[in-house]
């Protein structure tokens, strides 16, 4: 029989793309210099997971695994910005764990209202009004919108329960949870009656807690046999385990002690991959209680008297109970409450402990990109990886020469040209910005902007000695030339002053001679 409980799904998410910016010039009568008025594109919508207290299964995502957020609107003239794409909100149950395709945990969603941005929308492109500057008064281009993230994730539901009931099939776990709470699980006299975890709320004194029963475990459950492996994830968060042992089994080759030993070995073999930061122990090391069920049957009561001393000698707290007659359930419920209270106190102390905050400042010489030297059959390849360069490439309209020039200027200001020189790049070498799907172009460092984006390789490029130098070297050479000119000018001024001083002395000497001759 099919079940409506789904606790593991794979979803394919696509965030919204950012809207393109607009390149527009204001044209209005009697206003010939209206200037650029192209507006920005809207932001693409995010895909968010939000914990909803009313959602208990991942069934809706099982039927609709492909989820796409809205794109941002395009910018328009007259400074009319594009509308932002609305976020796509996906309701998930409390206790949902988000994993990537490799099985690594990305997010653990606990408590109602917790949200996680699974796929970020692309940012909108700038219009030419935002790109205008004192040097570029009327840009004839705009930036494209950035595409949103697209990825596949695995969602697993790990039930949040304080106490987990484990045991062989038909051990009476469903009857026990029905007797101790208001839960109404399916109860029948055949194995694997329970196909989904059942939750029940128990009140023991001032302590209220939840218990969950797991579909029956059999030998090899940790390796995928039966239903145990599929549902053991639901007990990873529990504070303690209760072994429900059948005292009235009629199967040959089974006895209560061997049943308990087999279940313990299966719990030890199951690896808990959930790390909530509170130091979760392996399932085999969690606090445990043993409930010897069905003691209302005479043979079961006699068998319980025989095995109880051995179990207590092994360190277990043993309770003789009957889910039918409710024998021993009160004592068991208060023992469960003790385990839950101890775990809650431990978590409260852990949360009260100040967390060490590790601050990793950005390196002083970090320019925000890296250059990787590679090679292929056509020659050396220099790959540029970085958030800014890759985003700028995605937002560039390569059909517009002015937009390409703007990209070249931005790369030059970032220091890409200088880093390429230091990495050993030569004219005509292949430069790739991004990953395998990045933009490939030939490098022409003679251009003013620093890089020339060309459509094909093999262009015959020449460099003079001045173009081979880096930007800093050219700047230093410029200052040297200016200093040399200043020195020549200062020397020339000194010569002029000396020449003037010489003529003045000669003139003064001539006047003295005339006066002396006149006196004579």
């Amino acid at each position: 029989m099919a079940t409506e409980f789904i606790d593991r799904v794979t979803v394919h998410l696509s965030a919204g793309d950012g809207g393109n910016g607009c390149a527009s010039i204001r044209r209005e009568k009697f206003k010939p210099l209206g200037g650029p008025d192209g507006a920005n594109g809207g932001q693409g919508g995010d895909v968010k997971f939000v914990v909803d207290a009313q959602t208990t299964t991942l069934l809706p995502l099982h039927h609709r695994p492909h989820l796409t957020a809205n794109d941002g609107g395009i910018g328009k003239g007259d400074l009319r910005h594009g509308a932002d794409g609305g976020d796509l909100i996906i309701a998930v149950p409390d206790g949902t764990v988000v994993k990537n395709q490799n099985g690594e945990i990305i997010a653990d969603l606990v408590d109602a209202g917790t949200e996680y941005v699974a796929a970020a929308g692309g940012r909108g492109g700038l219009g030419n009004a935002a790109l205008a500057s004192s040097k570029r008064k009327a840009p004839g281009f705009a930036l494209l919108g950035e595409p949103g993230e697209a990825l596949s994730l695995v969602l697993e539901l790990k039930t949040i329960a304080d106490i987990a009931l484990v045991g062989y099939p038909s051990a009476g776990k469903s009857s026990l949870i029905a007797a101790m709470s208001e839960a109404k699980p399916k109860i029948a006299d055949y194995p694997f009656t329970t196909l989904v975890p059942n939750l029940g709320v128990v009140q023991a004194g001032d302590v209220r807690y939840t218990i969950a029963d797991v579909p029956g475990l059999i030998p090899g459950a940790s390796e995928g046999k039966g239903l145990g492996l599929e549902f053991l994830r639901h007990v990873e968060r529990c504070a303690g385990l209760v072994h429900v042992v059948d005292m009235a089994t009629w199967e040959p080759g089974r006895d209560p002690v061997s049943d308990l030993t087999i279940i313990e070995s299966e719990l030890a073999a199951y690896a808990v991959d959930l790390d909530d930061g509170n130091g979760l122990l392996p399932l085999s090391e969690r606090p445990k209680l043993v409930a010897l069920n069905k003691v209302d049957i005479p043979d079961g009561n006699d068998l319980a008297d025989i095995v109880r001393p051995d179990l207590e000698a092994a360190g277990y707290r043993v309770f003789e109970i009957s889910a039918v007659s409710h024998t021993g359930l009160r004592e068991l419920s208060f023992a469960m409450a003790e385990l839950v209270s101890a775990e809650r106190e431990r978590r409260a102390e852990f949360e009260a402990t100040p967390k060490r905050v590790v601050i990793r400042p950005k390196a002083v010489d970090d320019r925000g990109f890296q250059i990787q030297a590679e090679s292929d059959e056509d020659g050396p390849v220099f790959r540029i990886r970085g958030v800014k360069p890759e985003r700028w490439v995605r937002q560039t309209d390569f059909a517009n020469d002015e937009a390409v020039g703007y990209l070249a200027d931005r790369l030059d200001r970032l220091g890409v040209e200088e880093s390429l020189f230091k990495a050993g790049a030569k004219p005509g070498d292949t430069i790739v910005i991004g990953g395998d799907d990045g933009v490939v172009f030939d490098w022409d460092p003679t251009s003013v902007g620093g890089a020339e984006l060309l459509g094909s390789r093999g262009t015959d490029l020449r460099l003079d000695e001045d173009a081979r130098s880096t930007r800093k070297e050219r700047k230093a050479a410029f200052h040297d030339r200016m200093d040399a000119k200043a020195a020549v000018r200062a020397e020339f001024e000194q010569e002029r002053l000396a020449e003037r001083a010489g003529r003045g002395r000669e003139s003064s000497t001539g006047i003295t001679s005339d006066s002396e001759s006149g006196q004579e």
Side-chain angles (χ1 to χ4, degrees), residues 10 44 48 66 78 247 290 303 307 334 362 400 409 460 472 511:
T10 299
K48 294 182 179 180
H66 296 273
D78 199 17
M247 292 288 103
V290 176
L303 185 58
V307 302
F334 277 91
K362 184 178 179 181
N400 189 310
D409 292 340
D460 186 16
K472 290 184 178 180
I511 294 173

Side-chain angles (χ1 to χ4, degrees), residues 37-203:
D37 65 346
N40 304 335
Q43 304 293 321
D46 299 334
V47 179
K48 294 182 179 180
F49 294 135
V50 179
V51 177
D52 182 16
Q54 303 301 321
T55 303
T56 59
T57 178
L58 298 175
L59 182 64
L61 299 179
H62 174 72
H63 294 306
R64 185 189 170 206
H66 296 273
L67 304 165
T68 304
N70 295 327
D71 297 336
I74 62 173
K76 299 179 181 179
D78 199 17
L79 299 178
R80 292 174 294 171
H81 297 288
D84 294 338
D87 296 338
L88 179 61
I89 306 298
I90 303 172
V92 295
D94 193 0
T96 301
V97 177
V98 184
K99 296 182 177 181
N100 59 17
Q101 292 293 303
N102 297 327
E104 300 174 354
I105 295 179
I106 301 176
D108 184 14
L109 306 180
V110 180
D111 295 332
T114 302
E115 64 178 40
Y116 168 69
V117 179
R123 65 176 64 190
L126 298 179
N128 64 344
L131 297 173
S133 64
S134 58
K135 296 182 179 180
R136 187 181 286 104
K137 298 183 180 298
F141 67 97
L143 298 184
L144 303 179
E146 190 176 4
E149 291 183 334
L151 70 164
S152 297
L153 297 175
V154 178
L155 303 183
E156 291 185 355
L157 176 58
K158 299 188 178 183
T159 305
I160 300 179
D162 297 308
I163 297 295
L165 307 180
V166 295
Y168 257 76
S170 298
K173 299 183 297 297
S174 298
S175 300
L176 180 58
I177 196 174
M180 298 182 68
S181 68
E182 297 297 327
K184 304 297 181 184
K186 181 180 179 180
I187 300 174
D189 59 351
Y190 55 84
F192 299 112
T193 306
T194 302
L195 298 178
V196 300
N198 297 306
L199 287 176
V201 179
V202 180
Q203 183 78 33

Side-chain angles (χ1 to χ4, degrees), residues 271-319:
V272 177
D273 63 351
L274 180 63
D275 184 9
D276 63 351
N278 293 331
L280 285 178
L281 298 174
L283 294 181
S284 59
E285 300 179 13
R286 304 283 175 89
K288 302 181 185 68
L289 304 175
V290 176
L292 304 180
N293 194 21
K294 303 180 183 179
V295 296
D296 55 315
I297 301 176
D299 292 341
N301 190 17
D302 296 339
L303 185 58
D305 293 337
I306 296 174
V307 302
R308 179 167 185 163
D310 296 335
L311 295 177
E312 290 178 343
Y316 293 104
R317 293 182 61 186
V318 182
F319 298 85

Side-chain angles (χ1 to χ4, degrees), residues 499-513:
E499 185 178 352
R500 284 184 180 180
R503 287 200 299 266
R505 286 195 298 270
E506 291 177 1
S507 174
S508 175
T509 303
I511 294 173
T512 303
S513 300

